[in-house]
Amino acid sequence: MSSVLWRTNFSYNKFSQIAARALRQSLKEGERVKAERRGVTNVRFQKWQDGKGGEQVFLNPPKDKEVKKSAAV
Amino acid sequence: MKMIASTKLTQAQRAMQTAKDYGIANNEVVSHATPDGDAGKRRLFVVVSSDRGLCGGIHSSVSKATRRALGAAKPIPEEKVPAADPDSPVMVIGDKSKMQLSRAVAKNLSLTFNQIGKDVPSFADACAVADLITTSGVEYDSVVIVYNKFMSAISYEPAFVEVLPAKALAESPGFKSYEMEEDVTKDLAEFQLANAIFAALVEGHAAEQSSRRNAMDNASKNAGDMIGSLQMKYNRGRQAAITNELVDIITGASAL
């Protein structure tokens, strides 16, 4: 079943985010602009080891946002 | 300053009302799953605050509550503080609390997040945080989220919310009485974590906005009071100087 294919690669949360993004992109122009704001996240994180912080890493690097993924058939 | 903070506060409060429902739905499942006892649980603390200051005691209240829980050998029911080992892992959302906790419990920190809280937090933020937590490789039996609960427009207090990961959820008595696929349990646990983080983020954001508005209000009032009292002092000094000059002139004139 296709449900098995995504499980090995990412979590349910990521799955729902991808589905939400697809839904948002299918809205009409005005509604879409409002809805896009709900999908935006600029989270940065940093791993800590023994009381010392590592490098700050962007989860979604800003300049890559324009890349649109298309389904390979 | 107070007006700007007020408009942001109403926005944040409105978002909080809708987000609270996520938190309530979460708690329904946990309360019916009735997890057993406290003993030997390895708790992961997720501290929810933000990157910006000028908001009163928001960040220090959450940091202090976390430090109390880390030092507590037994849970304190009156204040709902859970018990935890002093070496429990801690993850912090928000630079201000991160700086406070890195001075106090640096060895416990495992992951920190920032850039959340500039605007009303989105579910995408919460999902990102939840995913990073589950894939971080940190071991834990349950997650405790520490955040500021919004009590009213002028008060807030730190609160703890416990979320169970997949293993603990599957083994809890209430859950075991139902037939569940393992995959679905894992999905539910991950989604619950994201839900709980989202509810905590939005409520913490609302508490922060209300605290910022009050802090700005107090600052404006104090500045106004100071202006008034300094004005009084200045006038008195000016009048005293004029009086002295007059006295000089009069004694000089009468000497002639």
Side-chain angles (χ1 to χ4, degrees), chain A residues 6-7 11-14 16-17 37-51 56 58-59, chain B residues 98 102 106 109-116 122-125 127-128 130-132 183 187 190-191 194:
Chain A
W6 60 264
R7 264 182 209 289
S11 69
Y12 175 74
N13 286 330
K14 186 104 179 103
S16 76
Q17 286 295 297
R37 256 178 260 139
R38 289 200 283 267
V40 163
T41 167
N42 303 322
V43 167
R44 253 181 6 164
F45 68 95
Q46 188 186 23
K47 289 205 195 303
W48 282 67
Q49 195 80 350
D50 289 335
Q56 298 256 9
F58 266 106
L59 200 58
Chain B
K98 174 184 85 174
S102 69
L109 287 179
S110 61
L111 205 55
T112 58
F113 308 85
N114 52 21
Q115 309 290 332
I116 298 182
S122 66
F123 195 73
D125 290 327
C127 270
D131 271 353
L132 284 166
D183 277 343
D187 286 348
E190 288 172 358
F191 186 60

Side-chain angles (χ1 to χ4, degrees), chain B residues 166-179:
Chain B
K167 206 163 44 94
L169 194 60
E171 286 166 17
S172 65
F175 215 73
K176 263 211 272 220
S177 44
Y178 292 92
E179 287 262 353

Side-chain angles (χ1 to χ4, degrees), chain A:
Chain A
M1 276 302 285
S2 61
S3 63
V4 186
L5 291 175
W6 60 264
R7 264 182 209 289
T8 47
N9 294 338
F10 45 76
S11 69
Y12 175 74
N13 286 330
K14 186 104 179 103
F15 172 69
S16 76
Q17 286 295 297
I18 294 174
R21 192 179 63 191
L23 185 63
R24 278 193 284 264
Q25 284 171 345
S26 68
L27 285 170
K28 275 196 189 160
E29 193 56 41
E31 301 291 316
R32 190 172 63 83
V33 171
K34 277 197 292 187
E36 286 295 333
R37 256 178 260 139
R38 289 200 283 267
V40 163
T41 167
N42 303 322
V43 167
R44 253 181 6 164
F45 68 95
Q46 188 186 23
K47 289 205 195 303
W48 282 67
Q49 195 80 350
D50 289 335
K52 287 218 184 4
E55 214 183 291
Q56 298 256 9
V57 180
F58 266 106
L59 200 58
N60 306 320
K63 55 187 185 317
D64 289 354
K65 266 216 251 190
E66 297 309 311
V67 176
K68 281 199 190 335
K69 292 203 175 98
S70 57
V73 174

